[in-house]
């Protein structure tokens, strides 16, 4: 049978099921990655599984998110993660080394392999011809314990690239164009596979920008073939022996196709507050810009920083605009320093930040009140920058520089001629900040600071749920809405009782208090409930506050899996119009003795009832019944 690239990798890793779209499958996982803000929970969960060593070919633990050490809490988390890594055989990337996805692409990604990461942008590695999927920490912990990863076999969309990008247009504009078409839910349960003659015009880091932000379409993952460009990148990284060719068979079939003529793509910009709210930069020209931030796992590769440096050469950042630059990795930074391009950035007035996520998740550099901030990042959800009324726009590095120089939104094609940048044949390699496990480190001490609290335990699902609707939300509620980022809240990621108090804090300040005081089993949501981050805190915190079921029009993939993992029932309306029949505060009643595909929710307040779907596999049902995956694993061990 003729196969696509995705099918080839899936077929090679199939541990269960049939490779038919919509069927449940399980994949053998070669590599795992975690980052600090999801990692502490993932490792607490892993430790609870009682496995003496990770069973994967390679597991990595990065520290890149919670880097602001305002007090002991983040530093304690870093120390805990380092101890766990040493004890269980995990490679540890020290704080300051860079952003997990960029580092993984540079130093560890290899064509044809599978990666499961506790971060939603794990698909970045799809730029290397891998199946790389984002998941909740518990699923990643299970993979480290040697379990396969269960998911619905996605359908495969072929995105055919032809032509070549015009000057001042780059990979970010390509994915913004795709987002404009697919929207933030158009990719759910799909793999976006890139094909066509345009593929060879893009380098691996440019492909990584596209696969990274494919996440914003809701896609399970995105993948490029592995070709000569892949080989050249691996050679430059001193890892050519890890290259293999991987392409779709001639005549392989895609469930649907999309055509993108790269030559016709123009500079694009996502407007507040959604990555799919895309317009041409030219339509917004002249809007004053207070801040420009370059970096994040989407646009922080050496290629991106080189173009930024070349465009800034001999020029100064506008005096009303603040420009920050965060490199994705120490390697990128070191290469920039070696070539003198870093000096150009400094001379231009750019503020050089640590190699980390930083402003992308509201860790510093919050914009001014009502400020306009242009960022090369992947998410612009309201308030994520740390300033609730800021207006965040998402752009390419080229468009970011144009705004930094002129102080307003400017079509980058109006800058002088595009400078030629040259990529090194061999990167200056910098692995000093990785700590590899050794026989000696196996006896490492795992130190838990006072802010690292044990995982809460939960009771099995009761036979009947009777309770109030604590909150009714609209469409596209993100996990940032459910449990926001930012330095204050993120330093509580290892402390569920404390972080729970911030659940829905910017939507409804009273949520946590109401839930704790009055109780209430339900939340009602719209379409694509739980889009965005993979943080399982967005399931665990509501669970801790007593939520037992969420009824929505539809769910985002990772969040739905996290709800199941923590024993919350994800229900969808059979008839979406029934969403109108339930109001916040209504008391609902649901018999869950039998977890059948259709259930009837009685609205005791209104004296009506609505039909809901429960689309779970038998395995998932048993997990919810047991009160969550950890409880289910423990019950199995008894
Ligand atoms: C994000 O970009 O939202 C994050 C912060 O990287 C999250 C992970 C987290 O919440 O810790 C993600 O994308 O999964
Ligand atoms: Fe970090 Fe931002 Fe990437 Fe998330 S999206 S991993 S916060 S850089």
């Amino acid at each position: 049978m003729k196969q696509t690239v995705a099918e080839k990798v899936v077929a090679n890793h199939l541990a269960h099921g049939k490779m038919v779209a919509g069927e449940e499958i399980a994949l053998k996982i070669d590599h795992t990655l975690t980052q600090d803000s999801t990692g502490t929970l993932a490792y607490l969960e892993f430790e609870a599984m009682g496995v003496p060593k990770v069973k994967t070919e390679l597991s990595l633990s990065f520290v890149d998110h919670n880097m602001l050490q305002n007090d002991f809490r983040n530093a304690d988390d870093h120390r805990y993660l380092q101890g766990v890594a040493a004890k269980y055989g995990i490679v540890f990337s020290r704080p300051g080394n860079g952003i997990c996805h960029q580092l993984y692409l540079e130093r560890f990604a290899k064509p044809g392999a599978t990666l499961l990461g506790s971060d939603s942008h794990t698909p970045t590695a799809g730029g290397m011809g891998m199946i790389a999927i984002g998941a909740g920490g518990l699923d990643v912990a299970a993979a480290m314990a040697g379990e396969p990863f269960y998911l619905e076999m996605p359908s495969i969309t072929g995105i055919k690239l032809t032509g070549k990008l015009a000057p001042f247009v780059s990979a970010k504009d390509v994915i913004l164009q795709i987002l404009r078409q697919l929207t933030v839910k158009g990719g759910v349960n799909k793999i976006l596979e890139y094909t066509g003659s345009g593929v060879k015009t893009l380098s691996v880091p440019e492909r990584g920008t596209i696969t990274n932000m494919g996440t914003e379409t809701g896609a399970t993952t995105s993948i490029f073939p592995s070709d000569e460009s892949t080989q050249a990148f691996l050679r430059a990284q001193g890892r050519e022996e890890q290259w293999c060719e991987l392409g779709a068979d001639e005549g392989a079939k895609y469930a649907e196709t999309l055509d993108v003529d790269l030559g016709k793509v123009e500079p694009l910009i996502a407007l507040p507050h959604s990555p799919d709210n895309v317009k041409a930069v030219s339509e917004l020209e002249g809007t004053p810009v207070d801040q420009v931030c370059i970096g994040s796992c989407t646009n922080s590769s050496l290629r991106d920083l080189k173009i930024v440096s070349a465009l800034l050469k001999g020029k100064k950042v506008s005096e009303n605009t603040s420009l920050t630059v965060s490199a994705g990795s120490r390697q990128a930074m070191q290469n920039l320093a070696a070539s003198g391009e870093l000096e150009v950035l400094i001379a231009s007035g750019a503020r050089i930040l640590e190699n980390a996520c930083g402003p992308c998740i509201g860790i510093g550099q919050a914009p001014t009140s009502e400020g306009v901030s242009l960022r090369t990042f992947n998410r612009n959800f309201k308030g994520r920058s740390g300033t609730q009324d800021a207006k965040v726009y998402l752009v390419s590095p080229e468009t970011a520089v144009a705004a930094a120089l002129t102080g307003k939104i400017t079509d980058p094609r109006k800058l002088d001629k595009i400078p030629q940048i040259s990529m090194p044949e061999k990167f200056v390699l910098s692995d000093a900040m990785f700590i590899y496990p050794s026989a000696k480190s196996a006896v490492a001490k795992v130190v838990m600071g006072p802010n690292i609290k044990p995982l809460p335990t939960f009771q099995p699902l009761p036979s009947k749920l009777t309770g109030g609707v604590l909150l009714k939300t609209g469409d596209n509620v993100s996990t940032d809405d459910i449990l926001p980022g930012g330095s204050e809240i993120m330093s509580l990621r290892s402390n569920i009782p404390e972080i729970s108090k911030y659940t829905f804090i910017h939507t409804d300040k009273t949520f946590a208090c109401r839930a704790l005081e009055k109780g209430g089993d339900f939340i009602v949501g719209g379409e694509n409930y739980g889009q965005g981050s993979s943080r399982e805190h967005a399931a665990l915190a509501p669970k801790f506050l007593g939520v037992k079921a969420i009824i929505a029009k539809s769910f985002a993939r990772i969040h739905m899996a996290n709800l199941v993992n923590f024993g919350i029932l994800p229900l969808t309306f059979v008839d979406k119009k029934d969403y109108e029949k339930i109001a916040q505060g209504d008391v609902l009643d649901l018999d869950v003795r039998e977890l059948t595909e259709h259930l009837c929710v009685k609205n005791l307040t209104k004296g009506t009832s609505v039909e809901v779907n429960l689309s779970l596999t038998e395995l998932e049902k048993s997990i919810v019944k047991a009160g969550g995956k950890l409880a289910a694993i423990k019950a199995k061990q008894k």
Side-chain angles (χ1 to χ4, degrees):
M1 217 187 77
K2 297 183 167 56
Q3 289 182 319
T4 72
V5 177
E7 282 169 341
K8 287 184 184 180
V9 186
V10 168
N12 268 335
H13 291 83
L14 204 60
H16 160 87
K18 279 206 228 84
M19 206 170 56
V20 174
E23 297 259 321
E24 184 189 49
I25 58 163
L27 289 179
K28 176 188 175 291
I29 298 300
D30 299 323
H31 297 178
T32 61
L33 76 74
T34 57
Q35 42 86 347
D36 51 301
S37 66
T38 56
T40 45
L41 270 194
Y43 292 112
L44 286 170
E45 289 152 359
F46 177 74
E47 288 196 287
M49 290 174 189
V51 179
K53 275 263 170 287
V54 290
K55 295 191 177 158
T56 44
E57 181 185 305
L58 175 70
S59 285
L60 298 132
S61 171
F62 295 89
V63 179
D64 54 3
H65 281 64
N66 270 327
M67 302 281 288
L68 208 60
Q69 290 162 224
N70 262 341
D71 60 23
F72 63 92
R73 289 176 294 192
N74 293 343
D76 281 2
D77 280 356
H78 304 168
R79 179 179 58 180
Y80 166 73
L81 292 169
Q82 184 164 350
V84 167
K87 183 166 175 193
Y88 294 102
I90 297 159
V91 178
F92 184 67
S93 171
R94 304 182 68 184
N97 197 21
I99 305 173
C100 54
H101 308 303
Q102 179 64 31
L103 288 167
Y104 181 80
L105 196 64
E106 289 170 356
R107 304 306 299 143
F108 304 99
K110 58 173 197 183
T114 53
L115 166 71
L116 195 70
S118 64
D119 191 280
S120 65
H121 291 103
T122 302
T124 312
M128 182 69 87
M130 296 183 59
I131 290 285
I133 303 179
L138 194 43
D139 286 324
V140 177
M144 288 189 279
E147 296 288 322
F149 174 61
Y150 285 83
L151 74 161
E152 175 179 325
M153 176 66 201
S155 68
I156 303 174
T157 301
I159 304 189
K160 189 169 169 201
L161 305 178
T162 50
K164 192 173 176 305
L165 291 170
F168 294 105
V169 182
S170 63
K172 179 64 152 281
D173 300 306
V174 177
I175 189 63
L176 286 174
Q177 172 153 327
I178 292 168
L179 258 158
R180 174 154 66 173
Q181 209 166 326
L182 290 183
T183 78
V184 289
K185 53 181 199 301
V188 175
N189 290 331
K190 292 180 185 167
I191 295 179
L192 309 183
E193 178 168 325
Y194 291 87
T195 69
S197 58
V199 165
K200 63 175 183 300
T201 68
L202 301 169
S203 64
V204 168
E206 290 170 293
R207 296 174 187 181
T209 294
I210 294 173
T211 54
N212 171 284
M213 219 176 153
T215 295
E216 271 52 65
T217 69
T220 303
T221 190
S222 303
I223 190 166
F224 271 84
S226 167
D227 57 9
E228 281 166 22
S229 289
T230 323
Q231 187 178 23
F233 180 74
L234 282 170
R235 190 182 309 125
Q237 289 289 336
R239 307 199 281 125
E240 194 177 0
E241 74 290 349
Q242 294 184 346
W243 179 73
C244 67
E245 192 166 14
L246 196 59
D249 293 330
E250 203 50 60
K253 292 231 167 11
Y254 294 90
E256 55 181 353
T257 53
L258 217 112
D259 290 326
V260 178
D261 179 348
L262 295 176
K264 291 209 176 115
V265 179
E266 52 177 334
L268 295 172
I269 182 165
L271 278 62
H273 299 286
S274 181
D276 62 358
N277 191 7
V278 175
K279 288 206 161 80
V281 174
S282 57
E283 288 178 61
L284 273 95
E285 274 200 306
T287 310
V289 173
D290 303 290
Q291 184 191 48
V292 174
C293 297
I294 295 175
S296 92
C297 55
T298 321
N299 278 118
S300 60
S301 67
L302 184 60
R303 179 265 165 211
D304 287 337
L305 301 181
K306 271 178 174 283
I307 193 83
V308 168
S309 172
L311 289 169
L312 286 173
K313 193 164 186 173
K315 302 193 175 125
K316 292 272 174 281
V317 171
S318 163
E319 63 186 37
N320 294 324
T321 309
S322 159
L323 169 66
T324 73
V325 177
S326 1
S329 67
R330 187 160 286 258
Q331 184 197 90
M333 193 51 125
Q334 241 178 302
N335 279 273
L336 275 191
S339 60
E341 287 156 301
L342 176 61
E343 206 183 326
V344 173
L345 292 182
I346 297 169
S348 74
R351 300 166 65 179
I352 312 296
L353 307 184
E354 199 165 14
N355 313 317
C357 301
C360 178
I361 190 58
I363 307 280
Q365 308 302 325
T368 50
S369 296
E370 295 178 31
V372 169
S373 180
L374 256 62
R375 301 176 161 213
T376 65
F377 306 168
N378 48 35
R379 289 186 174 143
N380 59 347
F381 303 142
K382 193 167 185 301
R384 181 174 158 108
S385 64
T387 302
Q388 284 304 313
D389 57 9
K391 298 180 207 71
V392 175
Y393 296 74
L394 306 174
V395 295
S396 70
E398 291 80 353
T399 304
V401 175
L405 290 174
T406 59
K408 40 192 197 266
I409 297 181
T410 303
D411 190 324
R413 292 172 295 190
K414 293 206 172 134
L415 297 177
D416 308 339
K417 244 178 69 207
I418 187 90
Q420 285 308 312
I421 53 161
S422 63
M423 293 304 290
E425 279 197 10
K426 267 235 139 49
F427 288 86
V428 177
L429 298 178
S430 163
D431 283 342
M433 299 281 275
F434 289 109
I435 301 179
Y436 291 87
S438 65
K440 207 169 76 207
S441 62
V443 292
K445 244 178 74 202
V446 177
V447 187
M448 289 187 30
N451 185 50
I452 305 180
K453 300 288 183 223
L455 288 171
T457 50
F458 299 116
Q459 297 305 314
L461 190 72
S463 54
K464 198 171 157 62
L465 308 184
T466 310
V469 176
L470 277 164
L471 190 73
K472 184 172 176 183
T473 76
D475 291 345
N476 295 321
V477 159
S478 72
T479 44
D480 277 83
D481 295 320
I482 304 172
L483 202 55
S487 60
E488 194 188 333
I489 303 179
M490 284 179 82
S491 59
L492 298 170
R493 286 286 183 99
S494 316
N495 186 338
I496 298 303
E498 273 308 306
I499 205 169
S500 299
K501 296 179 184 160
Y502 294 87
T503 312
F504 283 115
I505 187 88
H506 298 310
T507 312
D508 178 350
K509 277 195 194 59
T510 66
F511 180 87
C513 286
R514 284 192 293 113
L516 282 174
E517 278 165 21
K518 293 197 193 131
D521 292 354
F522 298 92
I523 291 174
V524 172
E527 296 280 7
N528 202 22
Y529 182 88
Q531 70 160 331
S533 152
S534 65
R535 64 192 72 148
E536 45 192 1
H537 304 74
L540 192 41
K543 173 78 182 186
F544 184 80
L545 297 174
V547 172
K548 296 190 187 61
I550 298 185
I551 313 173
K553 290 185 188 167
S554 64
F555 288 94
R557 176 188 63 86
I558 305 178
H559 188 58
M560 174 148 162
N562 285 339
L563 291 174
V564 170
N565 282 348
F566 292 100
I568 297 182
L569 278 172
L571 304 164
T572 53
F573 291 102
V574 170
D575 180 354
K576 288 183 181 174
K577 288 203 236 52
D578 284 350
Y579 167 86
E580 306 299 340
K581 290 190 183 160
I582 306 178
Q584 189 165 315
D586 286 358
V587 176
L588 308 182
D589 182 77
L590 177 63
D591 186 331
V592 284
R593 267 171 305 178
E594 296 292 324
L595 291 183
T596 48
E597 213 180 315
H598 299 293
L599 294 167
C600 177
V601 179
K602 289 189 193 134
N603 188 332
L604 301 182
T605 307
K606 295 203 162 64
T608 53
S609 60
V610 299
E611 296 288 314
V612 292
N613 288 322
L614 179 66
S615 311
L616 297 183
T617 62
E618 289 310 312
L619 181 67
E620 288 170 328
K621 284 180 195 166
S622 66
I623 290 173
V624 176
K625 273 194 166 160
K629 198 166 187 166
L630 269 181
I633 292 174
K634 281 189 188 149
K636 222 167 85 182
Q637 280 165 356
K638 273 184 197 154

